[in-house]
Amino acid sequence: NIYNANGEFRCAWMKTTAATDLGQTPKKVAVINDEGRIYYRTPAELLADMGADYIAEQGKSGIWTYRKWASGVAECWLESTLTLAGSTPVASMNGSAYYSYATIDLPFAFKSQPRGVAEGFLGSGVGFVNIAFASGYSKLTAYVTGNQNDSIIKIGSMIVTGRWK
């Protein structure tokens, strides 16, 4: 306790930091409660104390950029256009449309089935993308329907969200 019997501040040992340290994330932060007691908390503990969600992990893995939130929510997305050699296109809808597909590894396995949204096309033709997830939720298959009979799939954007824990 740093207070005397009258509740007055007695003394404290403080370490000062250089101005160059100000942009760094501290390992612990001193917090004073209503009774004047000092506690040391990590930034993650402070956010949890306030009931706020926060990024527990983020990074890049292969073609993906991802974030894992402390609450268990995860998201990953493509940073640039993805060009894939898909399957041999299959004609459908009276030969006026084609589809091809490719399997893509996710940056980590999701705990339960995630959701995904993407846009893309076959060759240089217009198209749309449907996403299906493999069991284990560590891979997805992108099915691309388009107006050209081409095995080259281009995915312009894709985002996948779900739970990592």
Side-chain angles (χ1 to χ4, degrees), residues 83-106:
T83 302
L84 302 165
S87 66
T88 302
V90 177
S92 62
M93 296 189 278
N94 296 323
S96 63
Y98 304 90
Y99 83 89
S100 185
Y101 60 90
T103 300
I104 303 166
D105 290 330
L106 290 165

Side-chain angles (χ1 to χ4, degrees), residues 3 7 16 28 32 43-44 46-47 59-60 75 80 85 88 90 92-93 105 132 134 146 149-151 164:
Y3 294 91
T16 59
K28 297 267 185 169
I32 301 174
L46 286 173
L47 289 168
K60 293 186 181 227
E75 56 190 346
S80 60
T88 302
V90 177
S92 62
M93 296 189 278
D105 290 330
N149 189 357
D150 197 326
S151 65
W164 68 277

Side-chain angles (χ1 to χ4, degrees), residues 19-40:
T20 56
D21 293 341
L22 294 177
Q24 296 182 9
T25 302
K27 292 181 181 169
K28 297 267 185 169
V29 177
V31 179
I32 301 174
N33 71 6
D34 290 339
E35 292 88 36
R37 296 183 190 272
I38 296 176
Y39 295 89
Y40 292 96

Side-chain angles (χ1 to χ4, degrees), residues 64 103-110 114 133-140:
W64 299 99
T103 300
I104 303 166
D105 290 330
L106 290 165
F108 48 84
F110 284 82
F133 295 94
S135 63
Y137 312 121
S138 63
K139 297 177 184 282
L140 66 80

